[in-house]
C-alpha cells in the first residue's frame, strides 16, 4: 500500500495495534479515522492526536456497519484504505462448549468481510486503495486455549488470499498483517506487561518499515512471527504444534 496520500479507516483504532498504526499513518500525513465500540476511548485518542477523527462502530453489527460505511463515504469521499484491527481473543474450554464462538466469529471474521463488501465499490473508484486484514501467527499454529479465535484467524488468512486474487487486476491492494504475540490488552492487562510479548513500539516500527520498503508485500510479517508463519513449511509441524501448546498450557497452569 502507499504509505502516504490515504484516507484510512482503522477499526479497533482506539487501542493497541490499531491505535499505534493509526498514529503512525497520521504522523505520515494521511487522513485517519479510527473506529471502535467505546466512544470515550476513541475520543481520548482523538483528543491526544490533533487531526485524528473517530466514528463509533460495532463491526459485528450488520446494520451499524452498513449505516457507518455509507456515512463515511459521504463524509470522506477520498476514503481509500482500511485496516481491520478490531478483534477479540478469549479463552475457551471446549468441554464446556465453544462459549465464545458467536462473538468471535462475528467480530474477527464476519465483521471485516462484511465491511470490505460495503467499502469495495467505493475503493475501486479511487486512484489507489488498500485493504489490510489482521490475522495472527496463531492462524498458522493454533493456540488450543483459544480455539474459536485461532479458527477465525486461519479463516482471515484464507479470505485474504481469495480477496487478493479476485482484486488482482484492480487498484485495490490486499495485505495481511499477521502479528506475533504483542504487548497489548487483547487478553487483558497481563499481556500488556508480559516480557515474552513483543513491545508494541518495536512491532509498529518494524511493520511501518515493511510498508515503506515493501509496499507490495502480500503478508506483513515481522521477524518474530516467522517461526509460527512458516512452521508447516519448515517441517516437523506436529512436534512444533505440540511443544508450543504444551509450553503455553504449562505457563497457564502456573498462574
Ligand atoms: N496483541 C497480539 O498479541 C496480537 C497478536 C496477533 C493478532 N492480533 C490482532 O491484532 C488486532 C488488534 O488487537 P490488539 O492486540 O491491538 O488488542 P486491543 O488493544 O484489545 O484492540 C482490539 C480493538 O478492537 C476493538 N473492538 C473489539 N471488538 C470490536 C467490535 N465488535 N467492533 C469494533 N471494534 C471492536 C476494541 O475496542 P472497543 O472495545 O472499544 O470496541 C479494541 O480497540 C486484533 O485483530 C488481534 O486479533 C493481536
Amino acid at each position: 500500500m502507499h504509505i502516504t496520500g490515504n484516507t484510512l479507516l482503522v477499526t479497533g483504532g482506539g487501542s493497541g495495534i490499531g491505535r499505534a498504526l493509526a498514529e503512525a499513518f497520521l504522523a505520515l500525513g494521511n487522513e485517519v479515522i479510527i473506529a471502535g465500540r467505546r466512544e470515550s476511548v476513541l475520543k481520548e485518542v482523538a483528543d491526544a492526536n490533533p487531526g485524528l477523527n473517530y466514528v463509533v462502530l460495532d463491526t459485528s453489527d450488520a446494520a451499524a456497519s452498513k449505516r457507518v460505511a455509507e456515512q463515511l463515504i459521504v463524509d470522506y469521499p477520498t476514503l481509500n484504505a482500511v485496516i481491520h484491527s478490531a478483534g477479540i481473543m478469549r479463552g475457551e474450554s471446549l468441554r464446556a462448549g465453544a462459549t465464545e464462538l458467536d462473538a468471535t466469529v462475528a467480530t474477527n471474521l464476519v465483521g471485516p468481510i462484511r465491511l470490505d463488501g460495503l467499502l469495495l465499490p467505493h475503493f475501486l473508484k479511487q486512484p489507489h486503495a488498500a485493504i489490510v486484514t489482521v490475522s495472527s501467527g496463531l492462524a498458522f499454529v493454533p493456540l488450543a486455549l483459544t480455539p474459536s479465535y485461532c479458527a477465525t484467524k486461519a479463516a482471515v488468512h484464507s479470505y485474504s488470499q481469495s480477496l487478493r486474487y479476485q482484486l488482482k487486476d484492480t487498484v485495490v491492494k490486499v495485505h495481511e498483517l499477521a502479528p506475533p504475540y504483542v504487548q497489548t490488552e487483547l487478553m487483558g492487562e497481563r499481556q500488556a506487561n508480559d516480557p515474552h510479548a513483543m513491545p508494541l513500539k518495536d512491532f509498529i516500527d518494524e511493520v511501518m518499515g515493511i510498508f515503506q520498503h515493501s509496499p507490495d508485500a502480500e503478508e506483513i510479517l515481522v521477524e518474530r512471527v516467522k517461526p509460527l508463519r512458516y512452521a508447516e513449511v519448515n517441517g516437523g509441524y506436529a512436534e512444533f504444534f505440540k511443544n508450543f501448546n504444551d509450553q503455553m498450557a504449562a505457563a497457564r497452569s502456573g498462574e
Side-chain angles (χ1 to χ4, degrees):
M1 83 181 269
H2 296 212
I3 59 163
T4 57
N6 300 296
T7 304
L8 168 67
L9 172 67
V10 184
T11 72
S15 66
I17 292 169
R19 174 180 178 165
L21 285 175
E23 290 175 342
F25 276 96
L26 185 74
L28 290 168
N30 297 279
E31 182 157 26
V32 182
I33 307 112
I34 56 171
R37 292 168 300 179
R38 291 167 297 166
E39 181 160 20
S40 58
V41 170
L42 299 170
K43 189 175 180 318
E44 205 179 301
V45 176
D47 287 347
N49 291 279
L52 188 68
N53 300 299
Y54 73 86
V55 61
V56 176
L57 172 61
D58 179 345
T59 56
S60 71
D61 181 331
S65 295
K66 185 168 187 299
R67 178 175 42 77
V68 170
E70 286 171 357
Q71 192 61 48
L72 281 168
I73 289 166
V74 171
D75 293 344
Y76 304 95
T78 54
L79 187 70
N80 72 329
V82 61
I83 299 177
H84 293 291
S85 200
I88 54 172
M89 179 175 187
R90 297 174 184 157
E92 287 163 307
S93 167
L94 292 175
R95 293 176 198 217
T99 50
E100 305 300 331
L101 178 65
D102 289 359
T104 307
V105 171
T107 304
N108 296 3
L109 182 61
V110 179
I113 295 178
R114 179 172 43 220
L115 197 53
D116 286 345
L118 294 164
L119 296 175
L120 254 176
H122 182 72
F123 281 13
L124 286 165
K125 291 186 234 154
Q126 305 308 307
H128 59 93
I131 294 174
V132 180
T133 57
V134 179
S135 64
S136 168
L138 301 180
F140 304 94
V141 181
L143 172 64
L145 293 165
T146 56
S148 293
Y149 175 81
C150 296
T152 61
K153 293 300 183 176
V156 166
H157 173 62
S158 167
Y159 163 71
S160 304
Q161 293 174 81
S162 299
L163 182 66
R164 183 179 302 115
Y165 187 84
Q166 288 202 12
L167 297 177
K168 65 181 158 47
D169 298 322
T170 76
V171 295
V172 186
K173 302 299 160 211
V174 178
H175 308 277
E176 175 185 347
L177 171 62
Y181 183 39
V182 177
Q183 287 176 344
T184 70
E185 293 193 0
L186 183 63
M187 288 202 80
E189 232 173 83
R190 182 186 162 279
Q191 179 172 343
N193 300 305
D194 188 344
H196 299 297
M198 185 169 187
L200 181 59
K201 186 183 179 310
D202 294 353
F203 172 67
I204 297 299
D205 288 349
E206 200 173 331
V207 166
M208 293 309 289
I210 298 169
F211 274 128
Q212 186 176 358
H213 298 298
S214 310
D216 298 324
E218 294 183 350
E219 295 180 7
I220 311 297
L221 304 171
V222 300
E223 289 304 319
R224 273 230 204 177
V225 82
K226 289 184 179 173
L228 288 173
R229 170 64 184 96
Y230 297 121
E232 190 136 28
V233 182
N234 290 341
Y237 179 81
E239 199 185 347
F240 186 102
F241 170 80
K242 183 178 181 309
N243 289 341
F244 174 67
N245 275 286
D246 285 352
Q247 279 167 19
M248 299 304 280
R252 279 295 154 108
S253 69
E255 280 175 6

